[in-house]
Amino acid sequence: MYYKRNKLSEIIAATLASAVVMPMAYAQDSEGEDTILEEVVVTGIRGSMERAMDIKRDSSGVVDAISAEDIGKFPNTNLAESLQRIPGVSIDRQNGEGSKVTVRGFGPGFNLVTLNGRTLPTATVGIIGQRDNYTGGQGRSFGFENVAAEGVGGLEVFKTGNALLPSGGIGATIDILTRRPLDYDNTASIALKANADKSVGDSGSAITPEASGLVNWSNDSGTFGIGIFGSYSERDSGAAIGQANDWVVRRANDFFSNTSIVRADGSTSVTNPPADGELYAIPQDSRYDYSEITRERMNGQLVVQFAPTDNLRFTVDYTAVNNQQTEMRSEQTNWFATPFDQLIFDGEGPVSQALFMQENNNGTKDIGFEQTNRATDESIDSFGLNIEWDLFENQTLRFDGHTSSGEARPDNPLGHTATFVTFGAPVILQHSVDWSEGFPIQRYTYDDSIRGNGNGTIDQGDLATQVQRSSTQIQESDVDEFDLRYSFDWDSARLDIGANKRDTSVYVEATTTEQELGTWGMANPGDVEMFAPGLVEKYCMACQFNDFPVGDASEAFRVDATQLFPIFESAYSQNAVSRNSSQNTVEEDITAYYASFQWDTEVFGLPMELNAGVRYEETEVDAYAFQAVPNGITWRSDNDFLITYNASNENVEGSGSYDHFLPNLDLKFDLTDELVARFSYSETIARVPYGNMFAATTAGAPNRPTALGGQTGGSRQNPGLLPLESTNFDVSVEWYYGDSSYVSLGYFNKDVSNFLGTGVFDQPLFGLTDPTAGAPGSRSGDALDIIDSLGVDRSEANMFTLVALIDEFQGDLAAAQAEFEANLVNGALPQDYVDLIATNYDIVGDANDPLMIFRVTQPINNEDANIDGWEFAWQHFFGDSGFGFAGSYTVVNGDIDADPGQDPDANEFALVGLSDTANATLIYENHGWQARVAYNWRDTFLNATNQGGSRSPQFTDEYGQYDLSVSYQLTDHLQVQFDAINVTGEDLVQYRRKEKMVVWAYELEPRYSLGVRYRF
């Protein structure tokens, strides 16, 4: 059981109470404030954009910013969705919400996120709304969806290096700025919203609440101030999904002789068969999913400032973030036993894709219905102290320190991150899937009279258990950091010197379990209803889809997997539970010394600002692993394998170290009163994901028998990895032709070394043997000899069945062959006999089997690349009409692209995340009205390399989204607001190699909110 803090609720309660009882005090305290402060806090869209423009213009390097429109009112409801309005910034979405950011082609892990200049811990599992049940927190990516936008005063994106900034961001350093009470008027605000998500399912609420409140108070003398912020929000949503587990890519070699794909008797109909040497792709399966997702997010911040004298100020702050999410997912799986009876390939390069597949099953094969309950509880707690002391008229000593922690923990009722129970109905006579539309259209015919309850429909009485599994992922991240800086200020120059110490500890624990129930052969049809009567609900999955074409999916099932799991665990208590666990710790200690010099001068009569600095850093890394040790591979059915583990774990350690000098030089020229030119040079680094620095070694199970082309992987990480190193050049010109209007054009170039490549080593691991190798003298070798002599298909099912029979007859090959032949019907084994053997037999390696050869991958620093691009931005307001627009377009180029025709047996290095992006916003603000229509677009981009068993590149299709925001100021204090997000309901699609090789198609729907905000 994990203890859940209640500090957030206390902060929120205090905020809301203060907002009600103190408005008169605020009004009295604010009287007499000087007009200069009033000008700083200009409200509204135009005021926000003016402040962001001024930050951009006044900065020495390339800096873009977003400012709050008013206290407690940020331009977007999500920080990531606000950031995508900045040139060069694009976002990744999770469940339709902006989550992580990519800047100038560098993904989330290569951008540093700070809170008021402090490095934040990153602890996020990121499993909700994703494909993988085993995803664990191992990276440096910061999830912006955890932070409420209403409590943020501004965002600053530093795209060029600066010695004063912590290292770690090659793309950018993104600083989240919160409010300080002594810097603002006394005020308070409260906002209430009702949110509606069109995707919400049957179990969700049509309307969910959101509330936030902010209080800012200081005494008349300006020596003491308190700022409090609290927010609470709920969101219920649903998602209809189509996916494929993997696309198996092979190179054709006498295609029609491969009887694991085509029938040995030549009866398979093949259109556009791949020629020798041509790559072809066949999906491993096709799946429909429907998820219902809930999210509960709470944020709170308390800031206390004390200035006992004019030259001394203390600031103490506490920030708390909590985000709890749950996903209930039901699935329908259409998998192929192979060989096929009909195949249609598109016949087009670089990979000939199977567009249509059909299979007759000689009896009844199963259709799968996996049920999943995922839940995470993620939090950040940060306590900080800042002291500013003006020792002399032009000299200031600053100390800033914080201790921060982040946690991501499992949160479903069984203490798992994901609980998933698999059952099926053994009723399928034949089935097919059509990918010609870029989405799997499944068709099947069934007969439940053979192994079902015989009532002519697929229902609960036909269901049979198979396996159940769990995944428990924990991440803890602790950051202790202090920064000591001494500053000298002169009339036209400034010098900062300082030191920074940052100690980070990341702990990741992963535990997985697996228990066979009725086995993949479904030994006990009807056992789902027998052991869990009335729990499983039948529903129409096809009815959940609105955008994608769907085939046969009117008969599907859903149930909370955490209800079934303990029931089946008890019912099949005689079946052992396989458990694999690992505990990894990475300790990273960084010591930095820096100096930065700014100088305002003239060159050839032109005003020039110079900013030159250098940062020296030393980094020490220690990694510790406590991991389970495999002791065997169990072959449980045709293409299903289980790795078993020893009861005890073992310790593994590793270490690394490196140091860097990181210089920067910025030159800014005021060519005219309106025209600014910049040049920047810097060297920056970005550290590799924590997961790549683990000390553990893992072995993966084969995806099919190795003698039939199965692939077996393993991985070993590397604590000695070096960070990415980048040499950066930026040139830009900016024309500020109005108080709120400007045009800018910039070019950037980054030469980056130490990108992570992959070393691949073919080797045995842990002494594990391979019962599927087909080696002469082994059981699998004897089985293949018998299969070939009989002229039947070299299928996974035939191979497994014969090896099991050889075991059954204690090595008597003649008896095994006789039993095999006796069950052949027209040259093929009936599916019910295959399932019977799979139910009754498991195969483990013996002394005649060779060692399993794993393709062990290890990250290594061996790749260099260049990224360059152009950023164009234009912001314009039409006088005092209230109309305006803002937009940007970014072109990003890289010199290493992914090859869709990549050899499936070789790893590939390519630059991920590179894409052109654009955004445009139309604005109106006048007579109490504020309106904004925004469009954001991101072109197709490579999101991952070497995916699946065929090491395929994976792409995210281009995505464009319209958002709308309208508000009206009813009184000086009261405003009503309406927001619409993803107005046209654009969907998210990911694919491998070619556009129709879809692995993930996620339907998204519009979201609406209606709210009021009252400012006291």
Side-chain angles (χ1 to χ4, degrees), residues 874-902:
W874 188 7
Q875 176 177 305
H876 180 80
F877 281 87
F878 296 92
D880 296 326
S881 68
F883 289 98
F885 67 82
S888 69
Y889 193 97
T890 302
V891 177
V892 180
N893 303 304
D895 61 353
I896 303 179
D897 296 325
D899 177 13
Q902 166 72 14

Short mmCIF file of all heavy atoms in Angstrom, two decimals, residues 874-902:
data_model
loop_
_atom_site.label_atom_id
_atom_site.label_comp_id
_atom_site.label_asym_id
_atom_site.label_seq_id
_atom_site.Cartn_x
_atom_site.Cartn_y
_atom_site.Cartn_z
N TRP A 874 5.65 35.70 -37.51
CA TRP A 874 5.03 36.99 -37.82
C TRP A 874 3.87 37.21 -36.85
O TRP A 874 3.01 36.34 -36.69
CB TRP A 874 4.52 37.00 -39.26
CG TRP A 874 4.03 38.35 -39.74
CD1 TRP A 874 4.12 39.55 -39.10
CD2 TRP A 874 3.36 38.62 -40.98
NE1 TRP A 874 3.57 40.55 -39.85
CE2 TRP A 874 3.10 40.01 -41.02
CE3 TRP A 874 2.97 37.82 -42.05
CZ2 TRP A 874 2.45 40.61 -42.09
CZ3 TRP A 874 2.32 38.42 -43.12
CH2 TRP A 874 2.07 39.80 -43.14
N GLN A 875 3.90 38.36 -36.21
CA GLN A 875 2.83 38.76 -35.29
C GLN A 875 2.39 40.16 -35.67
O GLN A 875 3.22 41.06 -35.85
CB GLN A 875 3.35 38.72 -33.85
CG GLN A 875 2.37 39.21 -32.80
CD GLN A 875 2.94 39.07 -31.41
OE1 GLN A 875 3.36 37.98 -31.00
NE2 GLN A 875 2.98 40.17 -30.67
N HIS A 876 1.07 40.35 -35.80
CA HIS A 876 0.60 41.66 -36.25
C HIS A 876 -0.76 41.97 -35.66
O HIS A 876 -1.63 41.11 -35.60
CB HIS A 876 0.49 41.68 -37.79
CG HIS A 876 0.01 42.99 -38.35
ND1 HIS A 876 0.85 44.07 -38.49
CD2 HIS A 876 -1.21 43.40 -38.77
CE1 HIS A 876 0.16 45.09 -38.99
NE2 HIS A 876 -1.10 44.70 -39.17
N PHE A 877 -0.92 43.23 -35.23
CA PHE A 877 -2.21 43.72 -34.78
C PHE A 877 -2.60 44.92 -35.64
O PHE A 877 -1.75 45.78 -35.96
CB PHE A 877 -2.17 44.13 -33.31
CG PHE A 877 -2.26 42.95 -32.38
CD1 PHE A 877 -1.12 42.27 -32.00
CD2 PHE A 877 -3.48 42.52 -31.90
CE1 PHE A 877 -1.19 41.18 -31.15
CE2 PHE A 877 -3.58 41.43 -31.05
CZ PHE A 877 -2.42 40.75 -30.68
N PHE A 878 -3.86 44.99 -36.03
CA PHE A 878 -4.36 46.02 -36.92
C PHE A 878 -4.83 47.22 -36.10
O PHE A 878 -6.03 47.38 -35.80
CB PHE A 878 -5.50 45.48 -37.78
CG PHE A 878 -5.08 44.38 -38.71
CD1 PHE A 878 -5.17 43.05 -38.31
CD2 PHE A 878 -4.56 44.66 -39.97
CE1 PHE A 878 -4.79 42.03 -39.16
CE2 PHE A 878 -4.17 43.64 -40.82
CZ PHE A 878 -4.28 42.32 -40.42
N GLY A 879 -3.89 48.06 -35.70
CA GLY A 879 -4.21 49.26 -34.94
C GLY A 879 -4.99 48.94 -33.69
O GLY A 879 -4.65 48.02 -32.93
N ASP A 880 -6.05 49.73 -33.46
CA ASP A 880 -6.90 49.53 -32.28
C ASP A 880 -8.18 48.78 -32.63
O ASP A 880 -9.15 48.78 -31.85
CB ASP A 880 -7.26 50.88 -31.66
CG ASP A 880 -6.03 51.60 -31.12
OD1 ASP A 880 -5.11 50.89 -30.64
OD2 ASP A 880 -5.98 52.84 -31.20
N SER A 881 -8.20 48.12 -33.79
CA SER A 881 -9.41 47.41 -34.21
C SER A 881 -9.70 46.20 -33.34
O SER A 881 -10.82 45.69 -33.32
CB SER A 881 -9.28 46.97 -35.67
OG SER A 881 -8.28 45.96 -35.79
N GLY A 882 -8.70 45.69 -32.67
CA GLY A 882 -8.85 44.47 -31.88
C GLY A 882 -8.48 43.22 -32.64
O GLY A 882 -8.35 42.15 -32.05
N PHE A 883 -8.30 43.33 -33.96
CA PHE A 883 -7.95 42.18 -34.76
C PHE A 883 -6.44 42.02 -34.87
O PHE A 883 -5.69 43.01 -34.93
CB PHE A 883 -8.54 42.29 -36.18
CG PHE A 883 -10.03 42.12 -36.23
CD1 PHE A 883 -10.87 43.24 -36.27
CD2 PHE A 883 -10.59 40.85 -36.22
CE1 PHE A 883 -12.24 43.09 -36.31
CE2 PHE A 883 -11.97 40.69 -36.26
CZ PHE A 883 -12.80 41.82 -36.31
N GLY A 884 -6.01 40.78 -34.91
CA GLY A 884 -4.60 40.49 -35.07
C GLY A 884 -4.38 39.05 -35.47
O GLY A 884 -5.33 38.24 -35.52
N PHE A 885 -3.16 38.73 -35.77
CA PHE A 885 -2.81 37.34 -36.08
C PHE A 885 -1.38 37.08 -35.67
O PHE A 885 -0.56 38.00 -35.52
CB PHE A 885 -3.01 37.01 -37.57
CG PHE A 885 -2.07 37.73 -38.51
CD1 PHE A 885 -0.79 37.26 -38.75
CD2 PHE A 885 -2.50 38.88 -39.17
CE1 PHE A 885 0.07 37.93 -39.60
CE2 PHE A 885 -1.64 39.55 -40.02
CZ PHE A 885 -0.36 39.08 -40.24
N ALA A 886 -1.08 35.82 -35.47
CA ALA A 886 0.29 35.40 -35.18
C ALA A 886 0.49 34.04 -35.83
O ALA A 886 -0.43 33.22 -35.89
CB ALA A 886 0.53 35.31 -33.68
N GLY A 887 1.68 33.80 -36.33
CA GLY A 887 1.94 32.52 -36.98
C GLY A 887 3.42 32.28 -37.11
O GLY A 887 4.24 33.20 -36.99
N SER A 888 3.76 31.05 -37.37
CA SER A 888 5.16 30.70 -37.59
C SER A 888 5.23 29.46 -38.46
O SER A 888 4.28 28.66 -38.53
CB SER A 888 5.89 30.45 -36.26
OG SER A 888 5.43 29.27 -35.63
N TYR A 889 6.37 29.31 -39.11
CA TYR A 889 6.65 28.11 -39.90
C TYR A 889 8.10 27.74 -39.66
O TYR A 889 8.98 28.60 -39.71
CB TYR A 889 6.41 28.33 -41.39
CG TYR A 889 6.39 27.04 -42.18
CD1 TYR A 889 5.19 26.42 -42.50
CD2 TYR A 889 7.56 26.42 -42.59
CE1 TYR A 889 5.14 25.23 -43.21
CE2 TYR A 889 7.54 25.22 -43.30
CZ TYR A 889 6.33 24.64 -43.61
OH TYR A 889 6.30 23.45 -44.29
N THR A 890 8.34 26.48 -39.39
CA THR A 890 9.69 26.00 -39.12
C THR A 890 10.03 24.86 -40.06
O THR A 890 9.24 23.93 -40.23
CB THR A 890 9.83 25.52 -37.66
OG1 THR A 890 9.50 26.59 -36.78
CG2 THR A 890 11.25 25.06 -37.38
N VAL A 891 11.19 24.96 -40.67
CA VAL A 891 11.73 23.90 -41.52
C VAL A 891 12.91 23.28 -40.79
O VAL A 891 13.83 23.99 -40.36
CB VAL A 891 12.18 24.44 -42.89
CG1 VAL A 891 12.81 23.32 -43.72
CG2 VAL A 891 11.02 25.08 -43.63
N VAL A 892 12.87 21.96 -40.60
CA VAL A 892 13.96 21.25 -39.93
C VAL A 892 14.51 20.19 -40.88
O VAL A 892 13.75 19.39 -41.43
CB VAL A 892 13.50 20.58 -38.61
CG1 VAL A 892 14.65 19.86 -37.93
CG2 VAL A 892 12.90 21.62 -37.68
N ASN A 893 15.82 20.20 -41.07
CA ASN A 893 16.48 19.24 -41.95
C ASN A 893 17.53 18.45 -41.18
O ASN A 893 18.19 18.99 -40.29
CB ASN A 893 17.16 19.95 -43.12
CG ASN A 893 16.20 20.80 -43.92
OD1 ASN A 893 15.19 20.31 -44.41
ND2 ASN A 893 16.50 22.09 -44.04
N GLY A 894 17.68 17.19 -41.53
CA GLY A 894 18.73 16.36 -40.96
C GLY A 894 19.45 15.61 -42.07
O GLY A 894 18.88 15.38 -43.15
N ASP A 895 20.69 15.23 -41.80
CA ASP A 895 21.46 14.58 -42.86
C ASP A 895 21.40 13.05 -42.79
O ASP A 895 22.05 12.39 -43.59
CB ASP A 895 22.91 15.05 -42.83
CG ASP A 895 23.62 14.73 -41.52
OD1 ASP A 895 22.96 14.25 -40.58
OD2 ASP A 895 24.85 14.95 -41.44
N ILE A 896 20.62 12.49 -41.86
CA ILE A 896 20.49 11.03 -41.78
C ILE A 896 19.01 10.69 -41.63
O ILE A 896 18.41 10.90 -40.57
CB ILE A 896 21.30 10.45 -40.60
CG1 ILE A 896 22.77 10.82 -40.72
CG2 ILE A 896 21.14 8.92 -40.57
CD1 ILE A 896 23.63 10.31 -39.60
N ASP A 897 18.42 10.19 -42.72
CA ASP A 897 17.00 9.82 -42.71
C ASP A 897 16.85 8.31 -42.57
O ASP A 897 17.76 7.54 -42.88
CB ASP A 897 16.33 10.27 -44.02
CG ASP A 897 16.31 11.78 -44.17
OD1 ASP A 897 16.18 12.47 -43.15
OD2 ASP A 897 16.44 12.27 -45.32
N ALA A 898 15.68 7.90 -42.13
CA ALA A 898 15.37 6.48 -42.03
C ALA A 898 15.13 5.91 -43.42
O ALA A 898 14.59 6.58 -44.31
CB ALA A 898 14.13 6.26 -41.16
N ASP A 899 15.51 4.66 -43.61
CA ASP A 899 15.34 3.96 -44.87
C ASP A 899 14.21 2.95 -44.71
O ASP A 899 14.36 1.96 -44.01
CB ASP A 899 16.64 3.26 -45.26
CG ASP A 899 16.50 2.45 -46.54
OD1 ASP A 899 15.49 2.63 -47.26
OD2 ASP A 899 17.41 1.64 -46.84
N PRO A 900 13.04 3.18 -45.36
CA PRO A 900 11.95 2.20 -45.26
C PRO A 900 12.33 0.82 -45.77
O PRO A 900 11.70 -0.17 -45.40
CB PRO A 900 10.84 2.83 -46.12
CG PRO A 900 11.16 4.29 -46.13
CD PRO A 900 12.65 4.37 -46.12
N GLY A 901 13.35 0.75 -46.61
CA GLY A 901 13.81 -0.54 -47.12
C GLY A 901 14.96 -1.12 -46.33
O GLY A 901 15.69 -1.99 -46.83
N GLN A 902 15.11 -0.67 -45.09
CA GLN A 902 16.19 -1.14 -44.23
C GLN A 902 16.16 -2.66 -44.06
O GLN A 902 15.09 -3.27 -43.90
CB GLN A 902 16.06 -0.46 -42.85
CG GLN A 902 16.86 -1.04 -41.73
CD GLN A 902 18.35 -0.77 -41.86
OE1 GLN A 902 18.75 0.07 -42.65
NE2 GLN A 902 19.16 -1.47 -41.10
#
